[in-house]
Amino acid sequence: MTIGEIAGHFGLATHVLRHWEAMGLLTPTRVEGSRRRYDHDDLYRVAVIMRAKKAGFTLDDIREMINTEDPAARRDILLRRHAELARRIAGMQASLDLIECALGCDHDDVIGCAHFQTLIEERVGLGISPRK
């Protein structure tokens, strides 16, 4: 496949594939006049890169995972990403809990709700009482 064909197949701009090549993520074969040609393995690698990006991996992490022969190194990268995602999910869950508390409040204005104020005070973590 040409760079245009593989870009079209995945809905990418050709400059993205060139960038990934420059970063060491892709190594298409070169033919006449230095034209790139992509084979089945390249298609698979592009799909892996796209999926890893969707999972939040950086291009540097993806390159390291793809290029390493060491399963332990690959696992370390996965563990780092797992820890980061768990941290972000916990933060998002705390935000969702706060919003659900506010939406479920019987007060006319959530700011006046003692439960809401307690959640905010816990978040501040300084033992400061809310203003009255």
Side-chain angles (χ1 to χ4, degrees):
M1 294 178 84
T2 67
I3 192 168
E5 290 170 335
I6 196 167
H9 180 78
F10 287 103
L12 298 169
T14 56
H15 70 86
V16 172
L17 296 171
R18 287 186 194 99
H19 177 67
W20 291 354
E21 182 181 351
M23 289 196 65
L25 293 164
L26 294 173
T27 53
T29 57
R30 300 288 183 144
V31 294
E32 62 208 45
S34 197
R35 292 186 174 275
R36 294 167 179 84
R37 289 291 183 257
Y38 297 86
D39 60 18
H40 181 269
D41 290 343
D42 295 312
L43 284 170
Y44 182 82
R45 188 169 272 213
V46 169
V48 168
I49 294 166
M50 291 179 69
R51 185 61 189 105
K53 282 181 56 62
K54 191 171 187 165
F57 287 93
T58 66
L59 290 178
D60 289 332
D61 282 343
I62 296 168
R63 180 183 56 230
E64 189 177 343
M65 280 196 311
I66 287 175
N67 293 333
T68 188
E69 297 287 326
D70 181 9
R74 193 172 292 117
R75 182 171 173 77
D76 286 344
I77 296 165
L78 292 168
L79 286 169
R80 281 195 315 261
R81 184 66 191 138
H82 181 275
E84 172 62 19
L85 282 173
R87 185 191 63 74
R88 288 180 59 202
I89 289 169
M92 294 172 92
Q93 184 62 55
S95 295
L96 184 61
D97 292 347
L98 183 66
I99 291 168
E100 287 175 349
C101 173
L103 290 172
C105 182
D106 292 335
H107 287 80
D108 290 338
D109 184 359
V110 69
I111 300 300
C113 174
H115 181 66
F116 180 81
Q117 290 173 358
T118 300
L119 286 174
I120 297 299
E121 188 175 326
E122 288 172 2
R123 177 63 182 110
V124 171
L126 299 176
I128 299 172
S129 297
R131 291 186 216 172
K132 300 279 179 185

